[in-house]
Amino acid sequence: MKPPPFGYHAPGTVAEALDALAAAPGGKVLAGGQSLIPLLNMRLAAPSDLVDINRIGELDTLRAEDGGVRVGALARHARVERSAEAAAVQPLLGQALRHVAHPVIRNRGTVVGSLAHADPAAELPAVLAVLGGTVEAVSAAGRRTIPAAEFFAGPLESALAPGELAVSAFFPAAPPRTGTAFTETARRHGDYALAGVAAVVTLDGDLRVAAARAGYLGIAATPLVFDLTGAAGPDGDWAAAAAHVRDRIDPEPDIHAGADYRRHLTGVLTERALRAAASEALLKAEAPRKAGD
């Protein structure tokens, strides 16, 4: 199929992009296009204009800092996935990106574009949510920072206002003695997941659980986040934490899986991800001790 007619704009600066968006309230931003182009071709979307930001070099950035990883709007999945600097600051990013579609998609798709698309079955919204990250947006009215808890408004619906452009996303760094893990189950590798879990576990100085959180994809209209510190307890009862989540979710059935199966699967993946994250946290916590022996 072919897309419906649309106006095309190729700005070279952020200011030019904002001018184009302001002049076309029904327009869409084109970055990687790995979600938008199929929607256009299937005529599930019919924007009046496309604003292609691929010529705006200032948005093609990836910076790993002590406080976290800042990803520009044109940084491709593959670049972030392969970045050793990003992995050292926040390993959950790379762990999740390995599950995103296929390499050919990751070569073109963008991290910020995936977040702006706000698909509740996608990996990166769950990662941003569980880490408490943010999205930075600009418009003719100025610049604002949107917390992940406010950014995802519904299925394929973000908090971006008309005329607003998402220019970067910030993923906070992993604290000391923290492990992360990502796991999901799909019918075929590269398909959208039936359910997925991003887990973060932090240990205290006595190697007991100080904090445990999990973010979920594929089970609700927006990414879900559970603080499982109390459910797991200081000794890390991951089965109890999984039961806590299983009893509190209400997944929708669809042609791929029923609600009961998704609920059961989510519990299994929760326990698996939390155990893996806790094991990684323990390795990180013990490494300095072994180095000092």
Side-chain angles (χ1 to χ4, degrees):
M1 295 183 67
K2 296 182 179 180
F6 55 81
Y8 178 76
H9 309 268
T13 66
V14 170
E16 290 176 2
L18 294 179
D19 288 342
L21 288 171
K28 288 284 188 181
V29 174
L30 175 66
Q34 301 305 292
S35 297
L36 179 58
I37 297 302
L39 289 177
L40 291 173
N41 287 339
M42 291 186 286
R43 304 229 168 180
L44 297 175
S48 62
D49 296 76
L50 289 187
V51 180
D52 185 347
I53 63 172
N54 280 280
R55 293 166 180 79
I56 306 178
E58 64 187 281
L59 298 181
D60 190 8
T61 57
L62 174 62
R63 297 195 301 273
E65 308 160 354
D66 288 341
V69 179
R70 184 166 297 280
V71 183
L74 286 181
R76 313 293 171 178
H77 293 316
R79 178 183 177 189
V80 182
E81 176 190 0
R82 296 168 187 163
S83 171
E85 293 80 7
V89 175
Q90 183 43 263
L92 186 58
L93 255 178
Q95 292 166 349
L97 281 165
R98 287 192 286 273
H99 292 268
V100 173
H102 302 281
V104 67
I105 300 295
R106 298 198 294 273
N107 285 339
R108 287 298 301 169
T110 62
V111 169
V112 175
S114 177
L115 297 173
H117 188 54
D119 192 327
E123 291 81 4
L124 291 173
V127 171
L128 190 78
V130 76
L131 295 177
T134 58
V135 173
E136 186 174 20
V138 296
S139 69
R143 184 178 297 263
R144 67 177 179 136
T145 299
I146 311 170
E150 301 172 11
F151 186 75
F152 304 104
L156 307 183
E157 182 183 1
S158 77
L160 291 171
E164 203 165 33
L165 175 65
V167 292
S168 69
F170 183 74
F171 298 84
R177 298 187 300 274
T178 294
T180 59
F182 189 96
T183 186
E184 66 177 38
T185 295
R187 296 179 68 197
R188 295 173 302 181
H189 175 70
D191 283 1
Y192 280 113
L194 300 176
V197 183
V200 182
V201 175
T202 300
L203 305 180
D204 63 19
D206 296 321
L207 303 185
R208 306 186 80 187
V209 176
R213 287 166 58 85
Y216 295 87
L217 58 137
I219 61 170
T222 58
L224 290 182
V225 176
F226 283 93
D227 185 337
L228 299 172
T229 310
D235 296 323
D237 188 340
W238 307 125
H244 178 87
V245 172
R246 194 168 53 242
D247 292 343
R248 287 163 175 78
I249 60 174
D250 187 23
E252 289 285 336
D254 58 25
I255 61 172
H256 303 298
D260 288 342
Y261 176 72
R262 268 204 169 88
R263 186 177 296 106
H264 169 76
L265 177 61
T266 300
V268 171
L269 295 178
T270 296
E271 183 172 354
R272 184 180 301 169
L274 288 170
R275 287 188 186 280
S279 295
E280 182 182 290
L282 185 60
L283 287 174
K284 289 183 176 180
E286 290 181 335
R289 298 184 181 188
K290 292 180 179 179
D293 291 345

